[in-house]
């Protein structure tokens, strides 16, 4: 460890912490989209409408099998110029980043919701039918209240995973932790050394590890799907 | 559209690097998963603690950060000038992909080994097997069946991760496609370029899944079981 | 025959054995011996610690206090520097060589066919050659009447057939002591008799020492040299089967046998 320079390590922190806030913002925004869109996907698939079901299935499998980075670039360089004329450049990045993370992870959370919905015993559907509850009420009053608590740990895990994937957005110049180190810090120091990357890695670890432990504790309380 | 073959050709120039990264990464992942996964079940607290640090460390810090870190750290701390050449950078990429996904794989192996009924271990003790024989001949062959579906997800995750190697300028497919983006006359065809890229990744993912399902039916037959349902394997996902 | 020694007439010896699971004491200061070639059956209500005794002898559990001797050698502990210390894996491997066990749930290995299930132990832990082990395994599978199932997977067999394989597998290890843990409890009623007949034949034709936990009282009466009645982790009564089953000394034994009789 002869070349390790503590000064460079400490110098990196202002940049890392600057980027951390942006990283957290994207994680939260992306998660909200992923949670809501994933639920919508799951419910649509549960309705088993011909064609719609197959198309959605194909879309989900496609998104899950291809790199998020390519999807980000597709949205940023192909879709954005078409639909976001006249919007401020920073806002465009926020929309693209949120949407890319949100849609990508919605394709994972939809499977989580689906497993949660399927874990609700068949008798619950039948009882709801026997009471001739309206379809809406069956979902909001019977099925989802039982399914959602059990999927919370899995959703939490995907949020943690998303947090660690926000650095991909540095490729479209979102000012996250990696961008701050790679560009701003590097400019001030004449390059980013291992000290700065260690600081960045430790920051991710310091946040994601406690969250992972919380999720595991939650898992033990509500079970898994 | 008339440039389609040019685009395809240029993107495919990156295919060898992507394949090497995927294959090498998967190989290293398998080795590390088994070593670390079994070590997580070691009776020694020290061994478990050290492996825990590896697993949580790589799971908890971002893969992109790990790539940047190793790209500079290997040269500075170990005097390995791998970041000077494309091949060297690819090697760094493979190491990071392996270390990162091996940490996830360790939990898969640990979970699968623990899911083998206790009675099987006791049956092996009654036949007076050594602890190594118990693990190697009785527990692992049964645990492997459980491991294959989550490993399928993990390997697809790794395949997707190879695009990140463009961050350290490994000339893989995404890097090659991104070079095309810089050509002004191709500006209107970006959607074709990215679509080509997405389809190739999709096809590679399908190949991985087909191989893994074949292995799964093979392993299931070896322990006299039918292949378990896909639904659960899908829902489990590979992230987190 | 084993070398003459003072432990010559003791194949198994429990000396002040205590077994606790957490705060729950399962065996309370237990003392008994079993002679070579003896067939001893343990009876008693569930939770009385019978199965724990077998698991202790197989080293699947560790004693909390006291010592178990098998064939004159301490099993749970090993002599070291003039004292007895808890046994390590190497010592246990040596000690386990003389002990075999047949489990309630068979515990066959699903990743091996029937023949491999029987030969794996002799090859891997007794160091027999494959030819030798296979020849013996075929003899044993013939003995248990499963010659035609040699290549089958355990999952393709009925419960009774699986248990016969498990018996052959245990015998292939040439144990001096064979532990039978409720070997017919998981079987369909029509398969029980066949397995019990087989065990009776084996017991009568070998000099293996048997320690058996069963709820089949008729079998216990027919085959045992001795019956021990357990309750609450202690021996209530210990004697000849005819005596225990027809004229027990203790009310507790009589109640238990009555309860079993009523159930049947």
């Amino acid at each position: 460890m002869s070349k390790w320079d503590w000064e460079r390590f400490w110098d990196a922190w202002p940049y890392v912490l600057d980027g951390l806030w942006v990283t957290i913002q994207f994680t939260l925004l992306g998660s909200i989209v992923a949670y809501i869109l994933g639920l919508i996907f799951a419910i649509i698939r549960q309705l088993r409408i011909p064609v719609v079901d197959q198309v959605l299935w194909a879309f989900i499998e496609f998104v899950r099998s291809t790199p998020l980075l390519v999807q980000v670039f597709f949205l940023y360089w192909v879709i954005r110029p078409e639909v976001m004329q006249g919007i401020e450049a920073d806002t465009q990045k926020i929309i693209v980043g949120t949407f890319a993370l949100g849609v990508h992870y919605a394709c994972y959370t939809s499977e989580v919701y689906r497993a949660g919905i399927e874990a609700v015993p068949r008798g619950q559907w039948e009882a709801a039918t026997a009471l001739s509850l309206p379809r809406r009420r069956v979902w909001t009053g019977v099925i989802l209240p039982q399914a959602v608590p059990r999927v919370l740990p899995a959703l939490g895990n995907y949020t943690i995973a998303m947090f660690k994937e926000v650095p991909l957005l540095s490729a479209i110049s979102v000012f996250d932790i990696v961008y701050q180190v790679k560009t701003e810090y590097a400019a001030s120091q004449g390059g980013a050394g291992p000290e700065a990357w260690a600081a960045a890695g430790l920051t991710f670890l310091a946040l994601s590890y406690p969250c992972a432990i919380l999720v595991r504790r939650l898992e033990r309380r509500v079970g898994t799907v | 559209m008339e440039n389609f073959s040019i685009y395809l050709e240029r993107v495919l120039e990156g295919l060898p690097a992507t394949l090497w990264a995927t294959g090498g990464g998967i190989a290293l992942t398998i080795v590390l998963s088994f070593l670390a996964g079994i070590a997580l079940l070691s009776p020694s607290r020290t061994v478990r603690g050290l492996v825990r640090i590896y697993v949580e460390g790589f799971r908890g810090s971002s893969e992109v950060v790990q790539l940047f870190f190793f790209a500079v750290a290997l040269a500075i701390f170990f005097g390995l000038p791998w970041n000077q050449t494309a091949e060297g950078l690819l090697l760094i990429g493979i190491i990071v992909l392996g270390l990162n996904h091996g940490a996830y794989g360790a939990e898969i192996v640990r979970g699968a080994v623990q899911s083998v009924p206790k009675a099987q271990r006791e049956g092996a003790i009654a036949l007076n097997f050594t602890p190594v024989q118990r693990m190697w001949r009785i527990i692992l062959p049964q645990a492997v069946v459980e491991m294959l579906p989550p490993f399928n997800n993990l390997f697809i995750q790794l395949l997707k991760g190879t695009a990140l190697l463009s961050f350290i300028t490994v000339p893989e497919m995404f890097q090659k496609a991104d070079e095309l983006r810089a050509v002004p006359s191709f500006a209107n065809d970006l959607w074709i370029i990215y679509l080509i890229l997405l389809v190739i990744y999709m096809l590679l993912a399908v190949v991985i899944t087909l191989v893994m399902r074949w292995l799964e039916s093979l392993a299931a037959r070896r322990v006299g079981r039918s292949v378990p349902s896909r639904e659960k394997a899908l829902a489990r996902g590979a992230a987190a | 025959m084993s070398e003459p020694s003072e432990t010559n007439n003791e194949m198994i010896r429990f000396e002040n054995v205590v077994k606790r699971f957490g705060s729950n004491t399962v065996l309370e200061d237990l003392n008994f011996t079993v002679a070579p070639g003896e067939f001893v059956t343990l009876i008693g209500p569930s939770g009385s610690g019978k199965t724990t005794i077998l698991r202790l002898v197989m080293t699947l559990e560790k004693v909390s206090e006291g010592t178990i001797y098998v064939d004159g050698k301490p099993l749970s502990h090993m002599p070291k520097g003039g004292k007895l210390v808890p046994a390590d894996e190497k010592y246990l491997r040596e000690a386990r060589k003389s002990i075999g066990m047949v489990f309630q749930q068979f515990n066959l290995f699903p990743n091996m066919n029937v023949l491999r299930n029987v030969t794996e132990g002799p090859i891997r832990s007794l160091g027999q050659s494959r030819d030798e082990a296979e020849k013996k395994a075929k003899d044993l599978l013939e003995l248990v009447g499963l010659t035609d199932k040699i290549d089958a997977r355990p999952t393709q067999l009925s419960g009774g057939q699986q248990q016969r394989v498990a018996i052959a597998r245990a015998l292939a290890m040439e144990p001096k002591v064979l532990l039978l843990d409720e070997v017919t409890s998981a079987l369909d009623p029509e398969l029980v008799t066949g397995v019990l007949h087989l065990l009776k034949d084996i017991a009568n034709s070998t000099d293996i020492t048997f320690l058996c936990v069963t709820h089949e009282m008729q079998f216990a009466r027919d085959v045992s040299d001795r019956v021990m009645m357990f309750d609450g982790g202690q021996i209530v009564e210990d004697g000849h089967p005819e005596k225990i089953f027809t004229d027990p000394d203790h009310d507790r034994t009589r109640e238990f046998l009555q309860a079993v009789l009523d159930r049947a």
Side-chain angles (χ1 to χ4, degrees):
Chain A
M1 299 289 252
S2 56
K3 307 260 175 66
W4 180 269
D5 183 345
W6 281 108
E7 203 161 323
R8 287 169 65 87
F9 179 71
W10 298 122
D11 284 349
W13 284 100
Y15 298 94
V16 169
L17 295 179
D18 247 9
L20 175 62
W21 176 230
V22 175
T23 303
I24 291 174
Q25 277 176 310
F26 273 97
T27 308
L28 295 178
L29 288 173
S31 291
I32 292 169
V33 174
Y35 290 179
I36 295 172
L37 195 60
L39 181 58
I40 294 171
F41 284 175
I43 293 176
I44 293 176
R45 291 218 56 204
Q46 195 67 30
L47 298 177
R48 302 211 166 83
I49 309 162
V51 185
V52 175
D53 192 38
Q54 282 82 354
V55 170
L56 189 56
W57 173 81
F59 176 77
I60 289 172
E61 286 297 311
F62 187 73
V63 171
R64 285 162 58 112
S65 308
T66 53
L68 176 59
L69 189 57
V70 185
Q71 293 161 13
V72 168
F73 272 53
F74 187 81
L75 285 176
Y76 194 74
W77 294 109
V78 178
I79 306 291
R80 178 186 57 104
E82 303 290 327
V83 300
M84 290 190 209
Q85 302 288 341
I87 300 175
E88 205 192 327
D90 281 349
T91 317
Q92 289 186 1
K93 282 183 207 163
I94 294 173
I95 295 172
V96 168
T98 304
F99 205 65
L101 290 170
V103 173
H104 189 85
Y105 277 90
C107 293
Y108 287 94
T109 57
S110 72
E111 291 294 343
V112 170
Y113 284 119
R114 215 157 78 91
I117 290 166
E118 264 161 28
V120 177
R122 203 175 172 71
Q124 295 292 309
W125 291 94
E126 289 167 358
T129 312
L131 295 174
S132 46
L133 291 179
R135 204 167 171 95
R136 241 184 106 86
R137 187 71 200 137
V138 177
W139 278 103
T140 59
V142 181
I143 303 304
L144 292 181
Q146 296 184 61
V148 168
R150 300 187 53 187
V151 304
L152 287 178
L155 294 183
N157 274 330
Y158 280 119
T159 290
I160 298 170
M162 189 190 290
F163 172 60
K164 291 173 288 184
E165 282 212 278
V166 173
L168 300 195
L169 301 181
S170 68
I172 56 167
S173 303
V174 163
F175 300 153
D176 79 313
I177 295 177
V178 165
Y179 182 90
Q180 290 288 351
V181 172
K182 189 176 66 171
T183 310
E184 303 292 325
Y185 170 86
S188 76
Q189 302 269 341
E195 300 89 353
W197 291 118
L202 285 174
T203 305
F204 277 102
L205 193 59
L207 228 76
S208 68
Y209 184 57
C211 290
I213 289 186
L214 280 178
V215 167
R216 272 173 232 172
R217 207 167 286 170
L218 184 66
E219 223 162 46
R220 238 167 286 146
R221 270 189 47 187
V222 299
T224 49
V225 284
Chain B
M1 262 326 246
E2 69 266 35
N3 291 329
F4 182 83
S5 60
I6 299 177
Y7 301 148
L8 184 61
E9 204 174 300
R10 292 294 293 276
V11 169
L12 285 178
E13 277 174 22
L15 184 63
T18 296
L19 290 179
W20 274 109
T22 309
I26 286 177
L28 187 55
T29 295
I30 294 172
V31 173
L32 288 172
S33 298
F34 275 86
L35 288 179
I38 291 168
L40 281 175
L41 296 163
S42 156
S44 152
R45 281 184 79 109
T46 323
V47 171
R48 284 205 311 271
L50 287 173
V51 178
R52 222 352 107 199
I53 291 172
Y54 157 62
V55 169
E56 300 299 347
F58 273 90
R59 277 159 46 118
S61 57
S62 177
E63 197 174 1
V64 178
V65 175
Q66 290 158 21
L67 276 169
F68 280 122
F69 177 82
F70 277 87
V72 285
L74 286 180
I76 291 179
F77 299 132
F78 298 99
L80 302 169
W82 292 347
N83 54 2
Q84 309 292 323
T85 61
E87 291 77 20
L89 286 164
L90 176 60
L91 191 57
I92 292 174
I94 289 173
I95 291 170
V96 172
L97 287 171
L99 284 169
N100 184 286
H101 293 86
Y104 289 93
E107 290 290 359
I108 295 175
V109 171
R110 184 187 62 86
V113 166
Q114 281 182 324
S115 77
V116 174
K118 204 169 137 241
Q120 287 293 317
R121 209 181 75 87
E122 295 183 346
I125 293 177
L127 291 186
N128 208 7
F129 288 166
T130 63
V132 173
Q133 287 173 335
R134 274 179 233 154
M135 182 59 82
W136 188 248
R137 305 203 167 267
I138 308 300
I139 309 290
L140 279 183
Q142 298 180 54
V144 162
V145 188
E146 295 294 318
M147 291 176 204
L148 288 170
F151 264 123
N152 185 8
N153 287 326
L154 187 65
F155 293 161
I156 289 173
Q157 213 62 29
L158 187 146
L159 164 71
K160 289 156 61 178
T162 60
L164 301 180
L165 302 198
S166 63
F167 279 111
I168 57 168
T169 66
V170 173
E172 47 70 60
M173 287 201 298
F174 180 75
Q175 174 82 1
K176 288 289 169 191
D178 208 41
E179 285 167 14
L180 292 175
R181 185 168 59 81
V183 182
S185 58
F186 296 162
N188 286 328
D189 288 347
L190 285 180
W191 66 277
I192 304 176
I193 297 169
Y194 287 125
L195 218 56
I196 291 171
L197 200 56
L198 289 168
V199 168
I200 298 176
Y201 280 114
M202 176 83 204
L203 291 176
L204 292 177
V206 169
V207 170
I208 290 176
T209 301
L210 289 177
V211 170
M212 293 301 283
R213 286 202 191 169
W214 175 71
L215 286 174
E216 203 184 330
S217 65
L218 213 68
R221 224 170 314 132
R222 270 203 59 185
V223 299
R225 256 190 272 172
S226 58
V227 181
S229 83
R230 305 300 312 172
E231 298 290 307
K232 263 189 159 170
L234 264 178
R236 248 178 280 162
Chain C
M1 286 311 297
S2 55
E3 64 274 277
S5 74
E6 55 175 349
T7 57
N8 203 8
N9 51 359
E10 284 177 7
M11 184 53 82
I12 303 170
R13 176 186 189 85
F14 271 54
E15 213 172 76
N16 307 110
V17 170
V18 177
K19 177 62 187 173
R20 291 183 214 95
F21 290 106
S23 59
N24 182 22
T25 304
V26 183
L27 297 178
E28 186 99 65
D29 196 24
L30 195 60
N31 290 285
F32 69 86
T33 59
V34 176
E38 207 175 13
F39 193 116
V40 176
T41 301
L42 315 180
I43 62 169
S46 55
S48 58
K50 307 168 308 235
T51 289
T52 304
I53 292 169
L54 300 196
R55 293 174 61 82
L56 284 169
V57 175
M58 192 65 254
T59 71
L60 299 175
E61 309 282 355
K62 289 191 174 73
V63 291
S64 305
E65 284 169 39
T67 316
I68 299 170
Y69 296 86
V70 170
D71 202 15
K73 291 183 284 288
L75 174 68
S76 45
H77 293 70
M78 59 181 183
K80 193 175 178 183
K83 283 199 304 187
L84 287 180
V85 297
D88 63 15
E89 179 65 28
K90 196 171 158 230
Y91 182 86
L92 285 177
R93 286 249 307 146
E94 199 51 41
R96 280 198 292 256
K97 273 190 183 167
S98 48
I99 308 159
M101 184 162 181
V102 183
F103 297 87
Q104 183 177 359
Q105 297 289 346
F106 334 129
N107 299 6
L108 294 181
F109 305 130
N111 53 320
M112 300 174 185
N113 67 16
V114 165
L115 186 65
R116 278 283 302 282
N117 260 285
V118 181
T119 57
E120 196 68 3
I123 293 172
R124 305 293 165 196
S125 53
L126 299 183
Q128 291 180 4
S129 74
R130 183 164 292 273
D131 285 350
E132 185 188 354
E134 285 189 356
K135 189 174 165 298
K136 211 173 63 183
K138 283 173 184 162
D139 289 347
L140 285 167
L141 287 169
E142 196 186 332
L143 173 76
V144 301
L146 286 174
T147 309
D148 54 328
K149 299 289 184 192
I150 265 179
D151 297 316
R153 293 275 173 189
T155 45
Q156 296 165 329
L157 302 181
S158 73
Q161 289 169 330
Q162 290 192 49
Q163 196 57 295
R164 287 161 185 270
V165 175
I167 291 166
R169 181 173 82 168
L171 289 174
M173 297 294 287
E174 295 168 355
K176 292 180 182 168
V177 175
L178 189 55
L179 309 166
L180 307 175
D181 183 16
E182 303 197 27
V183 293
T184 56
S185 298
L187 298 182
D188 291 334
E190 71 271 22
L191 301 172
V192 169
T193 326
V195 170
L196 292 181
H197 267 294
L198 173 64
L199 286 171
K200 200 169 155 187
D201 288 347
I202 294 167
N204 290 336
S205 61
T206 64
D207 53 6
I208 297 173
T209 308
F210 282 85
L211 206 51
C212 170
V213 172
T214 185
H215 294 299
E216 299 290 336
M217 293 306 153
Q218 190 56 48
F219 170 71
R221 193 169 171 171
D222 287 352
V223 77
S224 307
D225 299 309
R226 228 170 96 202
V227 173
M228 286 199 268
M229 164 75 194
F230 274 82
D231 194 24
Q234 287 174 313
I235 301 171
V236 175
E237 196 163 350
D238 180 351
H240 194 272
E242 286 308 316
K243 164 85 175 140
I244 299 255
F245 284 112
T246 54
D247 181 27
D249 288 335
H250 289 259
D251 290 344
R252 192 68 199 86
T253 313
R254 197 170 292 119
E255 286 162 23
F256 170 73
L257 290 172
Q258 192 59 47
V260 173
L261 216 64
D262 289 347
R263 216 183 323 144

